[in-house]
Amino acid sequence: MNGARRAGWWIVALFLVSACSHDVGARSRSELAAEDEAELYAAIVRGTVANFGGDLNPQTLHCLRVCVRGECGAPSDRFLSLFLNDRFMVSGPEACKWQGGKVVPTRDSLLTVTAGRYETRVAPSRAMFLDVEQVRFSSPDRASADASITYGNVGANGLTLILERVEGRWKVVKTVDTWIS
């Protein structure tokens, strides 16, 4: 009986060690998944801005609204920091407002824009809402996403982006314009 009891305790101990190590692995996997998801959404934003030429006009303010798993809202400051070295300005939706039938910056003040090692103060000349609306995965390394920009009552465009993980990083491989207003 003692041998059976001892074997039972070994099984319980192995289960607990396995469960504990699995939990540690699950946390690190979830952190990696969150980081990967942020990189995916950043690629979607960059691809949308590039598709509509926003990276050619660094004085356009893109106010991001992001939907993740059905919840839409303002992106985190941590997410916005992914764009510090990009040639375009991003902010949360609170930095833009509707005025006179178009989207404008909420304040006329200068914004600090970081480009590499240099910072400049820029007054946005235009503003637009950029919405990342839905992401669909066809495999762990391939996804499609719907995004849109809105700059006025009669000025909005939508597109679908096809993304692939290339050398560990998400990259837009194709864009398809889906609607225009």
Side-chain angles (χ1 to χ4, degrees):
M1 187 72 147
N2 255 350
R5 183 176 289 161
R6 213 173 317 174
W9 282 111
W10 274 109
I11 291 171
V12 168
L14 285 172
F15 174 77
L16 289 174
V17 168
S18 171
C20 289
S21 66
H22 177 71
D23 186 44
V24 169
R27 264 186 271 130
S28 63
R29 276 193 304 272
S30 70
E31 288 171 3
L32 289 173
E35 211 173 280
D36 185 59
E37 184 175 62
E39 288 295 331
L40 170 65
Y41 277 79
I44 295 166
V45 169
R46 288 184 182 108
T48 303
V49 170
N51 185 75
F52 294 115
D55 55 345
L56 302 175
N57 182 358
Q59 290 187 309
T60 299
L61 175 61
H62 299 83
C63 296
L64 303 182
R65 298 183 293 199
V66 178
C67 296
V68 179
R69 290 183 289 285
E71 295 290 321
C72 301
S76 68
D77 289 339
R78 184 175 178 198
F79 180 73
L80 292 174
S81 73
L82 295 174
F83 303 99
L84 286 176
N85 294 321
D86 286 278
R87 289 184 34 93
F88 55 90
M89 291 184 280
V90 296
S91 189
E94 72 286 347
C96 290
K97 66 181 179 181
W98 284 96
Q99 183 177 335
K102 64 181 182 177
V103 180
V104 297
T106 55
R107 53 192 180 284
D108 294 330
S109 62
L110 298 175
L111 297 174
T112 301
V113 177
T114 303
R117 299 182 333 190
Y118 304 101
E119 289 186 353
T120 57
R121 306 277 291 166
V122 176
S125 60
R126 290 179 59 185
M128 64 181 61
F129 287 111
L130 190 157
D131 297 317
V132 177
E133 297 156 1
Q134 184 178 12
V135 176
R136 298 167 299 284
F137 288 90
S138 54
S139 76
D141 294 325
R142 189 164 170 86
S144 63
D146 297 328
S148 65
I149 60 166
T150 305
Y151 47 89
N153 285 341
V154 289
N157 298 72
L159 76 152
T160 298
L161 303 100
I162 309 301
L163 300 103
E164 289 182 359
R165 193 186 323 261
V166 178
E167 296 177 6
R169 309 254 331 163
W170 284 102
K171 181 179 179 162
V172 174
V173 294
K174 182 179 180 183
T175 59
V176 178
D177 291 324
T178 53
W179 59 269
I180 187 168
S181 164

